[in-house]
Amino acid sequence: MSLDKQDKLAGLRNKSLVRDDESDPDGRIYVDKKTGEIFHSVTRILGTTAPLSQQKRLENWLARPGSHETRDAAAKRGTGAHNHMEYVLKLAQRLARSTSNKKGIWKPSDDGLYRCPQKITQWAMEKASAGAPRVPWASSGYARGLRGWAMDHITAIHSVEFSGHHPAGMAGACDLLCDLNTEGGPKGPFILDWKTSGKSIHADMDDQLLQYKCQTGAYSLILKHMTGIQAVGGAVVVARRSGEPITTMINQEQLIEQENLFLERAERHFAQLSAARALIEEA
């Protein structure tokens, strides 16, 4: 049973979907290479079902001169920080597993996932960080903050950048499934999502945090569907140019609530899409 879940989780590294930017220019869709099924990206569904006030603010902001250049720069900055964390954690995961196998301490836990001692994971992250490629200057502060947070909180790395899909019609890739050093609470596994922000998260981020939390619910649904693993919670870690990241923790009850919220939004997204297409056909 343990090996079954571990193998299924490892299989999520192999992407079975291909991106299709031609058949639907309004947003990202993915096609299953084997079945031909079509899935819409998690972020697209979140975008079309965001509160109207939030959509309007984004529309107004994009209408400003220079906004597209600012958005592109922010995207590159976020990509640089994400790529750094992906490199460090993937290498650390390989190092920890290899070392633990040699020592005979890579063992299954009750939840079906294999783990090694926390000290091995800590050593592996430090070694991977020391040899990581240089981060672009614009992303360096964000990457440094996320890396420091990982060193302080992550106790086991289960999967980095796992991807999958769900019968509700969505597909996506999650940054990380890991154990966390939580005082008095469950250790893991947690759904974790890295974010970057150009300003303090306290400035005007309530709506955005609602989006981020719902996104963890979507990834939890995908994980459960593809592997049978139920995460014990989620974490949204928002990096800043300087200073410690801002972390929002989600317990299991809240995570399941976010799962249900996302399913409702996915249903609304496809209903809106069908209604729009019907209007076009009538016209």
Side-chain angles (χ1 to χ4, degrees), residues 30-167:
Y30 296 87
V31 181
D32 189 308
K33 292 181 286 188
K34 294 181 179 179
T35 67
E37 290 179 277
I38 294 175
F39 301 90
H40 288 213
S41 72
V42 167
T43 51
R44 177 183 181 179
I45 293 171
L46 288 171
T48 62
T49 58
L52 292 177
S53 58
Q54 186 177 354
Q55 294 187 48
K56 187 63 178 178
R57 283 199 300 272
L58 177 60
E59 182 182 331
N60 292 338
W61 183 82
L62 288 174
R64 298 176 184 174
S67 60
H68 291 275
E69 290 79 3
T70 300
R71 183 178 61 174
D72 290 344
K76 289 181 179 179
R77 183 177 66 224
T79 298
H82 274 77
N83 288 346
H84 174 72
M85 293 308 299
E86 182 179 354
Y87 176 92
V88 168
L89 293 171
K90 280 185 174 180
L91 178 56
Q93 184 183 27
R94 290 197 298 269
L95 289 171
R97 182 167 186 168
S98 175
T99 301
S100 299
N101 273 325
K102 289 178 182 177
K103 295 178 178 291
I105 51 177
W106 180 252
K107 298 181 179 180
S109 302
D110 292 340
D111 61 4
L113 296 175
Y114 278 65
R115 289 172 171 84
C116 64
Q118 180 179 342
K119 289 184 178 180
I120 298 291
T121 299
Q122 187 69 33
W123 163 82
M125 287 194 291
E126 291 173 356
K127 190 172 180 64
S129 297
R134 187 174 181 178
V135 181
W137 178 84
S139 304
S140 59
Y142 300 92
R144 184 168 53 251
L146 293 179
R147 186 177 64 245
W149 189 95
M151 294 288 191
D152 291 340
H153 294 86
I154 294 176
T155 59
I157 304 166
H158 299 300
S159 186
V160 184
E161 285 290 324
F162 70 84
S163 61
H165 53 81
H166 187 273

Side-chain angles (χ1 to χ4, degrees), residues 4-51:
D4 182 52
K5 284 187 177 181
Q6 192 73 36
D7 285 348
K8 286 180 178 179
L9 182 60
L12 299 189
R13 295 195 300 262
N14 304 317
K15 297 182 179 180
S16 62
L17 305 181
V18 292
R19 181 167 168 172
D20 179 5
D21 290 329
E22 295 183 5
S23 61
D24 190 344
D26 291 330
R28 288 182 294 177
I29 67 171
Y30 296 87
V31 181
D32 189 308
K33 292 181 286 188
K34 294 181 179 179
T35 67
E37 290 179 277
I38 294 175
F39 301 90
H40 288 213
S41 72
V42 167
T43 51
R44 177 183 181 179
I45 293 171
L46 288 171
T48 62
T49 58

Side-chain angles (χ1 to χ4, degrees), residues 179-200:
D179 289 0
L180 297 175
N181 185 14
T182 56
E183 294 184 8
K187 301 301 181 184
F190 284 87
I191 297 282
L192 192 145
D193 205 22
W194 307 118
K195 299 295 182 184
T196 54
S197 173
K199 58 184 178 179
S200 169

